[in-house]
Amino acid sequence: MLLSSFLHNRRPLVAAFQLSSHPLTKRPFLTSSAIHAQSESGGRSSAALSDKDLLTKTTATANGQSPPVPEALDTNPPKGTRDFYPPDQRLRTWLFEHFRAVSASHGFSEYDAPVLESSALYIRKAGEEVTQQLYNFVDKGGRDVTLRPEMTPSLARMVMAKRGGLNFPLKWFSIPQCWRYERMTRGRRREHYQWNMDVWGVEGVEVEAELISAMVNFFRRVGLTSDDVGIKVNSRGVIGEVLGELGVPQEKFAATCVLVDKLEKVSVVTTGSNLCHVRFHFPKVPLDAIQGELEELGLERSTIEKLTSVLTNKSIESIREVLPPDSQAVKELTQLFMLCKAYGIQDWIQFDASVVRGLAYYTGIVFEAFDRKGVLRAIAGGGRYDKLLETFGGDPTPAAGFGFGDAVIVELLKERNKLPSFDGCGFDTVVFAMSDDLYGVAVQVASTLRECGQSVDLILENKKSKWVFKHASRIEAKYCVIVGSDEYANGEVAIKDLILGEQKTVKIDALGDWSREVSDL
C-alpha cells in the first residue's frame, strides 16, 4: 500500500524528468519571482531559493565589492621550453626512432635515469659554463638538487652503483631530456633532448671510430651527406703535450681546455642588434678575450701564443711537426683516421686542432659534427673521458661517448628540405557508421581490425560521410570502412582505398583476411 502510493506520487516527477532530459525539449527558464511563487504555494523549497539577495551574497567579497577578475592565463610555455602538439610529437617520435635504430644496429642497449639529480654531480672546479647554467634548487628535504644538464654524470653514477654486477664492456645509449639556463639562439634552447651513446671498459680508439660511424650512419639515414655535415676530430692530448713542453703542470690541463673552447664562441660578432651568421671554424681572435683568465692560471703570453699557433693546424702532418717525435696524440689520431677509412666514412671527418670541447672531463680524442655551410652551431660532439669515474671516487675506467641534441639537427634537416611531413597521423583505417543503430557494428569492425594490428580511428559521433572522408584525408588514413544499412543487410561493409580511390565490399567475417592482405602490400 505504501509502495503503490509512493510510486503514484512520483509519476509526475518522473514524467517531468523524462520530458526535460529529452534532447529536443526546451527547458523553461524560471525567474526568481516564479521560484518565489512556487515556494509560496506550499511546495518545499530551500532557504537559498527563497533568498532574493542570494546572487549578491555569493559574488560579493568581505567588503561588499565584486571579486577581482582573474588574470588571463599566459598560454606560452616557460621561456626556452616547447609544447609538443601532435605534429611536433610525431616529428620527435620519428627522430627518436632513427636514434634507436642506429643504436640497436651497433649493439647498444637503452637505459634511463631520473631527470632530477644531486647538484654535486655537476659542480666541478674547471670553470665550465654548465656549472653556471644549472636549474638547481633546494628541495623540501633540504637537498640541493638539479634538473640534469647532461647525461654522462648520471651514467657514471649508475656505473659506480653497480660496478660489481656489470659485465664490461658496456655499450649503452639514452635519449634524455636535459636542462640548461643559457642564452637562447637558433638550435639552442633551455630544455632539449639529447641522444647519447657511450662505451665503457675499452681503451683503444676503436671505440671512437665506432661512435663516429654510428653518428655518420644516422646522418645517412635521414638523407644527409658529407657535403652537408662534417666531423672535426682532435685529441686533448695535443694541448696536453704542448703544455707539457712549455712546462705547464698537468693539474692546469682541464681548465686550460675549457678556456680554449671559449675562443671560438667569443668570435661571434654583432652589428647593432643583429647577430651575424659566422662559420664555426677556429678564428685568430685577440688574446685579450680570454687572456686575463689564462693569466690567472699562471700562463705567460708566450705560452698562450704558442698554444694558439698550434691550434690553427688543420692536418695531422702539420701538427706532427710541432709535437714530440713519439707523440701519443699523433699516434692515436693517425690510427683513428685509418679506422674511419675502413668504415668508409673518411669523407666525413677532418682534423681540426681547435676542437677541444668545453667539458673538463674529456681526456683524449674529441670530435664535433658541424654544418658545412657554417650557418648552425655544433650538431653533436663527444670524446674520451677516462678519468670521470675517478673524480667521483671510483676506480679508473676507460670510457668514451657523444651527445647529439634534437634541436640543431631538426633545424639542419629543415634547411636542407629533408624532413618528411608530419601533418597527418598516418593511421591505417577510419571506421564510421552511417546511422546510430549501426554504431555497435562499427565498434565490432574497429575492434576486429585493431586485433589484426591496424591503427583505427573510430568516428565517435554521428557525422555526415562528406565530413568523414575529409577527416580521413586530413589525417592521411589509408582506408575508410563504411558501415551502411544496405551492406550490413548482406553481412558486409564498404571499404574505400583512399590512396587509389577504389571502393569495394568485404564480408564482415572476412575483415581479418582483408587486413592481412593489405598489410602485405
Side-chain angles (χ1 to χ4, degrees):
M1 183 68 179
L2 291 174
L3 179 60
S4 61
S5 175
F6 172 73
L7 293 175
H8 176 76
N9 292 332
R10 281 192 60 193
R11 282 172 190 155
L13 178 62
V14 172
F17 174 77
Q18 290 173 339
L19 180 63
S20 65
S21 62
H22 193 281
L24 298 180
T25 301
K26 294 184 178 180
R27 304 176 187 177
F29 177 76
L30 295 181
T31 64
S32 59
S33 59
I35 295 173
H36 182 69
Q38 286 184 3
S39 65
E40 290 293 322
S41 65
R44 296 175 62 186
S45 65
S46 69
L49 290 177
S50 304
D51 192 341
K52 299 178 181 179
D53 298 323
L54 176 63
L55 184 63
T56 303
K57 290 179 178 179
T58 55
T59 58
T61 59
N63 58 9
Q65 297 179 350
S66 298
V69 177
E71 293 185 10
L73 175 69
D74 182 0
T75 58
N76 294 313
K79 188 174 182 179
T81 67
R82 299 165 285 177
D83 291 318
F84 289 90
Y85 288 90
D88 307 312
Q89 184 68 23
R90 286 191 284 272
L91 188 161
R92 192 177 86 179
T93 299
W94 173 85
L95 184 66
F96 287 10
E97 285 174 349
H98 282 295
F99 288 158
R100 289 191 168 97
V102 171
S103 300
S105 71
H106 285 71
F108 281 64
S109 299
E110 188 168 9
Y111 74 99
D112 201 358
V115 69
L116 194 65
E117 287 279 14
S118 169
S119 296
L121 207 55
Y122 307 100
I123 305 300
R124 295 181 289 265
K125 307 299 183 182
E128 297 166 303
E129 286 184 346
V130 67
T131 60
Q132 283 81 48
Q133 297 171 346
L134 299 177
Y135 274 92
N136 60 314
F137 58 94
V138 177
D139 70 9
K140 293 181 180 180
R143 293 170 289 266
D144 192 352
V145 292
T146 297
L147 295 178
R148 64 179 171 222
E150 54 165 328
M151 193 64 163
T152 308
S154 295
L155 174 57
R157 177 184 58 74
M158 292 172 66
V159 171
M160 285 186 66
K162 288 196 173 182
R163 178 61 188 264
L166 296 174
N167 296 316
F168 287 83
L170 305 179
K171 295 173 69 177
W172 289 2
F173 83 96
S174 61
I175 313 175
Q177 187 181 37
C178 300
W179 297 79
R180 292 190 184 189
Y181 193 89
E182 58 183 341
R183 184 176 62 86
M184 294 177 296
T185 59
R186 185 182 180 190
R188 182 193 291 265
R189 299 184 177 91
R190 290 176 177 172
E191 62 83 19
H192 69 283
Y193 287 88
Q194 186 178 79
W195 174 37
N196 292 264
M197 292 183 69
D198 295 86
V199 178
W200 285 63
V202 181
E203 295 183 354
V205 295
E206 291 83 0
V207 172
E208 287 88 330
E210 177 79 350
L211 292 170
I212 294 172
S213 169
M215 197 180 285
V216 170
N217 284 346
F218 169 83
F219 290 132
R220 286 172 171 165
R221 283 179 65 95
V222 297
L224 297 172
T225 70
S226 58
D227 292 331
D228 300 305
V229 177
I231 301 174
K232 296 184 284 190
V233 178
N234 189 25
S235 172
R236 283 277 184 97
V238 171
I239 296 179
E241 291 178 9
V242 172
L243 294 177
E245 288 287 307
L246 297 173
V248 177
Q250 178 68 26
E251 60 267 21
K252 296 182 180 180
F253 170 69
T256 303
C257 288
V258 171
L259 286 178
V260 169
D261 184 64
K262 294 179 181 179
L263 285 172
E264 162 172 278
K265 297 172 185 176
V266 300
S267 69
V268 180
V269 296
T270 58
T271 304
S273 60
N274 298 319
L275 181 67
C276 296
H277 289 306
V278 297
R279 294 183 180 273
F280 283 93
H281 297 309
F282 185 86
K284 290 183 178 180
V285 298
L287 288 177
D288 294 341
I290 62 166
Q291 183 174 342
E293 294 173 272
L294 287 170
E295 287 178 350
E296 287 182 8
L297 292 174
L299 301 180
E300 301 293 336
R301 186 176 184 87
S302 59
T303 302
I304 300 171
E305 291 173 346
K306 172 69 173 178
L307 179 60
T308 53
S309 67
V310 170
L311 297 182
T312 60
N313 286 281
K314 302 297 180 184
S315 70
I316 296 178
E317 291 71 23
S318 60
I319 204 72
R320 183 181 282 116
E321 296 176 0
V322 299
L323 294 179
D326 58 347
S327 168
Q328 182 65 24
V330 169
K331 180 181 178 181
E332 290 178 350
L333 287 165
T334 302
Q335 184 183 0
L336 177 61
F337 274 74
M338 290 176 61
L339 288 171
C340 288
K341 186 175 182 180
Y343 276 102
I345 59 175
Q346 64 272 21
D347 292 342
W348 293 78
I349 65 170
Q350 65 186 59
F351 175 77
D352 189 333
S354 70
V355 176
V356 294
R357 303 295 295 162
L359 295 173
Y361 53 67
Y362 287 123
T363 57
I365 297 290
V366 288
F367 49 91
E368 188 171 279
F370 67 99
D371 169 22
R372 287 202 186 271
K373 289 186 177 180
V375 175
L376 299 169
R377 61 186 293 269
I379 303 166
R384 180 162 288 276
Y385 51 93
D386 289 346
K387 296 183 178 181
L388 179 60
L389 218 56
E390 292 180 68
T391 65
F392 298 131
D395 298 327
T397 306
F402 68 74
F404 193 126
D406 68 327
V408 178
I409 185 61
V410 168
E411 290 294 326
L412 181 63
L413 291 170
K414 287 178 181 177
E415 187 154 300
R416 300 296 196 277
N417 197 27
K418 298 294 184 180
L419 277 180
S421 171
F422 298 100
D423 293 334
C425 304
F427 296 143
D428 293 318
T429 304
V430 171
V431 175
F432 83 103
M434 295 287 288
S435 59
D436 288 342
D437 58 330
L438 292 174
Y439 182 73
V441 181
V443 169
Q444 294 172 1
V445 168
S447 298
T448 298
L449 296 177
R450 287 165 178 164
E451 289 172 1
C452 293
Q454 283 201 14
S455 56
V456 178
D457 180 11
L458 174 64
I459 304 303
L460 303 175
E461 54 186 332
N462 191 4
K463 290 288 187 181
K464 294 184 180 297
S465 57
K466 182 179 180 181
W467 181 95
V468 173
F469 285 118
K470 185 176 181 180
H471 168 73
S473 175
R474 182 172 62 250
I475 66 172
E476 299 179 5
K478 301 171 186 175
Y479 303 96
C480 188
V481 176
I482 307 110
V483 182
S485 56
D486 292 342
E487 291 83 4
Y488 181 63
N490 297 321
E492 298 174 333
V493 292
I495 300 179
K496 184 168 184 178
D497 186 322
L498 299 174
I499 298 175
L500 300 178
E502 300 172 352
Q503 183 168 316
K504 64 179 181 179
T505 58
V506 175
K507 291 289 184 182
I508 294 176
D509 293 341
L511 281 172
D513 295 334
W514 171 79
S515 178
R516 284 184 287 273
E517 177 187 328
V518 297
S519 67
D520 294 334
L521 296 178

